[in-house]
Amino acid sequence: MISWLLLLLTLWCVIMCIMPRRQNNNGALVCTLIILLMLMFIPVLKGHSAAFFIRGVVGDVSILTLCLLLAGTFSRLGLVKPLEEKQNLLVLVSVIVIGIPFYTATLGMTYVDPYRWGFGSMLLLPLFVVALWASWVRYWFIASVVTLIVIVWAVGGGLESGNLWDYLIDPLLLVYALWFFLLRGVVSFWGVVSLVRLTDFLTIARARANTHAYVFAGGMAVAVFFAFVMNLPV
Amino acid sequence: MIISANSYRFLAILTVLIVFGFAFLNAPQNLQHNIRAADSEPVLLPASIEQRIASQGITEMVHASTAVELTDGRILAAWFGGSREGASDVKIYGAYYDLQTGLWSDNFAMISVSSTAQGSRRFIKKIGNPVLTIGPDGRVWMVYVSVSLGGWATSHLNLVTSDDFGKTWGYPKRLITSPFWNLSTLVKGKPFYYDDGTLGIPAYHELAGKFGEIVRLNRQGDVVDKVRLNKGRQSLQPVVLVPANNELDVYMRYSAETPPHRVLNVKSLDGGETWSEPVQIPVNNPDSAIAAFRALDRSWLIGNDSSEERDRLALLVDGGSGKGWNVVHYFEDGSAYTNERATESEFTELAGKGLSKSLLHQPARKEALFYNILDQASQEVCQWGRCFFQYDYPYVITTDDGQIHLFFTWNRSAIKHIQFTNGWLAGLLK
């Protein structure tokens, strides 16, 4: 049940983050919730709802992904300030730096299986250092998310998995992070080509903010494409 | 009251300290890797070997049998069957074998694609290999493979339990064993116990890499550890033997393209915490599953001792002290037709003889099933008038009475059961 509620929340946040900013009003909120309920309960193929398929393929998203989505959603609703650029970049860079070697190793490229560390307390120490450091430098988002991840894992009532890695990172987040930087590179490149002054930080920031919304859509499209490729007969 | 920025900072640090302190105290304790070897067999039983058919020809195809001895003196066997491997009509079927009467019960469906989908509340495309065991809680446990998207390489594991010896099963619990959308963990080998009561499930991964693993479950069926046996893209379907206390001997199917095609072996001397580099033992393996057991203080392997075909099923014994492996018996042998495929009449004659022998113990079943199974076998393994023989996916259990029970897929259409004693094995060593 918790897993389904998490999925509902995740889907709602994804839709809220993808929707253009001007649509963010109470009407849009109600609409997205109705769409979500339809997605959750109306059978679309072979008697199964879309949520049934999504759960079949990706399972639970990590707590970090959920927190990023919530931060995006709440900022779009005007409830909180947008996530500070520095922290956002730090999180996404960390996801790439940790995620690529992590998934490579877990797919069998090395004798060491880092996924095993997540079953015990081995990952707690580095996360503890990160949380302390983030609190000290007042990166409140990072500090609170890392603490939340650890408490949800320790209580053991959150995700289907009992492995701390699954609370910390998931492949969709890695795909999103890669897509984000790819798009950012394209935007910067386009900025140079069109002779936009690089010093005009605000212009570029606005461009990033606009593209940010489509990053999710792109990431999801890549994931769906990947899923369909995997569906080919093996 | 104005709270300074530093106060927020120290409040945050205090929260971090409390939360992590709680997490450290609640984190799973380091698992002990202690495993006790089975006691030596007390008596040498009279030499005997009997064969039967456990399946009933309900489905065109059957595969991947498993079995467990129940506390009421029966064996519960399970396998998957359907119109073809991977079809949506595939179900996991079961049957009981009475050790006293030597009779197999009628087959019954235990798990289906839809029961797995409804129970786990997610889309399931197909189900596959099951493995039965008596769980740490005394109930019958079944770990089985399911796929939502793609081929077998994208499988997940499910755990179901039964309070009534396998007649009915609870909702499947999805075992999360991989961080990559929980893709690619499969089972085939017989589970074993650690001294602390946790259950070791021999498993394997086959997405991108192909390697063996041991998934460890606690009493509640939660995954508490996963140990990688090797890396790379060459091994599948580990089977675990415990020749001495804390000594694990694992044999794996060789699944790489590059020759030589030989069974892989890894060892652990510390209860499975660390593993040796994989080595190939001098036993051919055509990318097919093997089974292993301990008897007469020796290790025994059952598999297809050919580098290409699955048309003969050999029993091999470890000579000990590096003397290598020797074939001591062929349970099935269709290798005369490896190069020149058998004609349909040759197949019917040869397979029919074997089948007839296997159905002797249940005359009523012989009457009803003989032509049905033979017909299904020829449909499975014959093409354009030529047929091959296939005997694969062996699974072995030893019952409390000291008998050894071998189960395997017979020409893709039946689950054959061969029961023999250590006395019969001793005769093979003379």
Side-chain angles (χ1 to χ4, degrees):
Chain A
M1 192 63 197
I2 290 174
S3 205
W4 275 77
L5 288 175
L6 279 177
L7 179 66
L8 183 71
L9 188 62
T10 308
L11 286 173
W12 176 64
C13 290
V14 168
I15 292 174
M16 289 303 288
C17 286
I18 288 174
M19 271 172 48
R21 276 176 188 277
R22 62 179 177 278
Q23 298 296 326
N24 283 349
N25 51 40
N26 288 340
L29 189 70
V30 173
C31 282
T32 54
L33 283 173
I34 290 171
I35 292 168
L36 265 178
L37 287 174
M38 285 166 65
L39 277 173
M40 295 294 279
F41 296 111
I42 295 177
V44 287
L45 188 64
K46 293 181 183 172
H48 299 315
S49 67
F52 223 69
F53 287 97
I54 294 170
R55 262 175 65 78
V57 181
V58 297
D60 295 330
V61 296
S62 64
I63 301 295
L64 177 56
T65 304
L66 193 62
C67 288
L68 283 170
L69 284 169
L70 282 170
T73 303
F74 288 158
S75 83
R76 280 167 167 274
L77 289 172
L79 298 173
V80 295
K81 282 187 214 161
L83 181 58
E84 201 186 333
E85 177 89 349
K86 263 187 195 170
Q87 289 195 68
N88 190 27
L89 287 180
L90 198 59
V91 169
L92 296 180
V93 167
S94 307
V95 165
I96 291 174
V97 169
I98 294 168
I100 291 176
F102 172 68
Y103 288 114
T104 310
T106 53
L107 287 174
M109 302 303 135
T110 58
Y111 273 105
V112 178
D113 181 8
Y115 189 61
R116 195 181 175 200
W117 306 338
F119 288 114
S121 55
M122 212 162 160
L123 275 185
L124 280 178
L125 195 63
L127 288 179
F128 177 60
V129 174
V130 169
L132 275 186
W133 167 79
S135 304
W136 188 256
V137 297
R138 295 182 193 140
Y139 282 173
W140 301 126
F141 178 78
I142 294 176
S144 50
V145 166
V146 171
T147 311
L148 183 69
I149 285 169
V150 168
I151 201 162
V152 172
W153 173 75
V155 169
L159 309 183
E160 280 183 310
S161 172
N163 190 303
L164 185 51
W165 278 111
D166 292 319
Y167 291 70
L168 194 62
I169 192 170
D170 62 74
L172 273 181
L173 184 58
L174 178 62
V175 169
Y176 167 71
L178 290 168
W179 188 260
F180 176 84
F181 284 107
L182 183 74
L183 214 68
R184 200 181 165 90
V186 171
V187 169
S188 299
F189 177 72
W190 187 250
V192 173
V193 170
S194 59
L195 298 175
V196 171
R197 283 186 303 139
L198 287 175
T199 47
D200 188 359
F201 179 72
L202 278 178
T203 310
I204 292 186
R206 202 172 299 126
R208 281 172 193 155
N210 288 335
T211 54
H212 197 88
Y214 299 102
V215 170
F216 269 108
M220 294 299 281
V222 169
V224 169
F225 173 72
F226 184 58
F228 275 105
V229 168
M230 285 201 314
N231 202 22
L232 294 172
V234 175
Chain B
M1 190 177 72
I2 297 168
I3 301 173
S4 70
N6 267 345
S7 304
Y8 277 123
R9 181 189 274 171
F10 286 113
L11 201 63
I13 289 173
L14 186 68
T15 311
V16 167
L17 286 172
I18 292 169
V19 166
F20 276 81
F22 172 76
F24 272 113
L25 289 175
N26 274 280
Q29 300 302 309
N30 283 340
L31 292 163
Q32 298 298 309
H33 290 264
N34 295 322
I35 302 175
R36 208 170 311 129
D39 299 330
S40 300
E41 298 127 287
V43 286
L44 201 63
L45 299 169
S48 100
I49 178 165
E50 292 173 5
Q51 50 180 292
R52 293 173 173 80
I53 297 290
S55 58
Q56 266 182 307
I58 294 174
T59 57
E60 288 94 324
M61 175 278 311
V62 292
H63 200 33
S65 48
T66 175
V68 67
E69 185 181 16
L70 303 173
T71 49
D72 65 355
R74 292 182 297 170
I75 288 176
L76 170 64
W79 59 87
F80 72 80
S83 55
R84 62 176 171 80
E85 187 174 327
S88 57
D89 64 356
V90 165
K91 290 177 184 163
I92 295 174
Y93 291 89
Y96 296 107
Y97 176 66
D98 192 318
L99 287 163
Q100 297 300 320
T101 61
L103 296 176
W104 277 99
S105 75
D106 284 342
N107 298 175
F108 55 96
M110 298 195 287
I111 305 288
S112 67
V113 169
S114 60
S115 73
T116 307
Q118 292 305 325
S120 63
R121 297 169 71 84
R122 51 171 41 95
F123 173 67
I124 300 292
K125 183 178 158 190
K126 57 186 179 184
I127 55 174
N129 298 1
V131 165
L132 286 168
T133 189
I134 300 295
D137 58 0
R139 293 185 293 175
V140 182
W141 284 22
M142 186 199 294
V143 176
Y144 67 99
V145 161
S146 68
V147 172
S148 291
L149 274 178
W152 292 121
T154 60
S155 301
H156 333 106
L157 296 184
N158 305 275
L159 169 69
V160 280
T161 59
S162 170
D163 292 323
D164 53 9
F165 298 122
K167 269 186 197 163
T168 57
W169 296 85
Y171 287 123
K173 172 179 178 165
R174 188 174 159 102
L175 301 178
I176 309 291
T177 51
S178 157
F180 197 74
W181 289 321
N182 197 28
L183 294 180
S184 203
T185 310
L186 299 91
V187 286
K188 167 71 181 77
K190 190 178 153 229
F192 59 96
Y193 273 98
Y194 293 87
D195 282 1
D196 64 1
T198 54
L199 186 68
I201 312 270
Y204 57 103
H205 176 110
E206 60 170 296
L207 179 71
K210 288 181 179 178
F211 49 87
E213 297 173 324
I214 291 173
V215 174
R216 200 161 162 180
L217 304 181
N218 66 10
R219 196 183 164 83
Q220 289 73 40
D222 301 323
V223 181
V224 290
D225 195 13
K226 191 181 73 161
V227 184
R228 181 173 297 177
L229 304 178
N230 58 328
K231 63 170 185 173
R233 294 185 45 79
Q234 57 177 12
S235 51
L236 298 173
Q237 299 174 339
V239 286
V240 178
L241 292 181
V242 188
N245 289 347
N246 293 339
E247 204 179 307
L248 275 79
D249 207 2
V250 173
Y251 298 92
M252 288 183 279
R253 163 180 173 173
Y254 181 74
S255 192
E257 295 286 324
T258 45
H261 298 271
R262 302 259 169 89
V263 170
L264 285 161
N265 174 226
V266 290
K267 289 177 191 293
S268 170
L269 298 174
D270 54 9
E273 176 66 29
T274 56
W275 292 89
S276 67
E277 287 276 331
V279 291
Q280 287 188 311
I281 61 169
V283 175
N284 285 331
N285 183 251
D287 196 357
S288 73
I290 47 175
F293 62 97
R294 293 277 304 171
L296 306 174
D297 285 328
R298 286 163 181 259
S299 296
W300 302 73
L301 281 185
I302 295 171
N304 309 111
D305 68 327
S306 148
S307 55
E308 287 174 2
E309 300 291 336
R310 298 180 178 187
D311 54 11
R312 66 182 182 201
L313 194 64
L315 172 65
L316 300 104
V317 63
D318 184 4
S321 317
K323 287 179 190 159
W325 292 84
N326 302 308
V327 177
V328 288
H329 181 71
Y330 283 111
F331 292 109
E332 301 280 356
D333 191 356
S335 59
Y337 298 95
T338 299
N339 298 322
E340 185 88 15
R341 298 289 197 205
T343 60
E344 281 200 40
S345 60
E346 284 170 332
F347 176 82
T348 309
E349 192 189 334
L350 222 87
K353 261 187 201 168
L355 187 61
S356 189
K357 233 170 157 184
S358 304
L359 290 167
L360 269 180
H361 296 280
Q362 282 182 267
R365 184 175 271 203
K366 185 181 177 188
E367 192 87 7
L369 297 185
F370 182 81
Y371 289 106
N372 181 20
I373 292 179
L374 202 58
D375 185 43
Q376 282 176 6
S378 49
Q379 280 180 34
E380 286 290 323
V381 298
C382 297
Q383 209 173 14
W384 298 307
R386 291 285 171 179
C387 313
F388 59 93
F389 293 86
Q390 189 167 315
Y391 312 106
D392 56 354
Y393 268 59
Y395 192 93
V396 175
I397 61 165
T398 305
T399 44
D400 283 345
D401 60 5
Q403 303 229 41
I404 297 147
H405 299 262
L406 162 67
F407 299 84
F408 62 93
T409 310
W410 183 88
N411 289 313
R412 297 184 182 175
S413 56
I415 298 300
K416 192 159 176 175
H417 165 217
I418 299 182
Q419 125 181 26
F420 49 92
T421 60
N422 53 5
W424 179 76
L425 290 174
L428 296 175
L429 294 175
K430 283 174 189 165

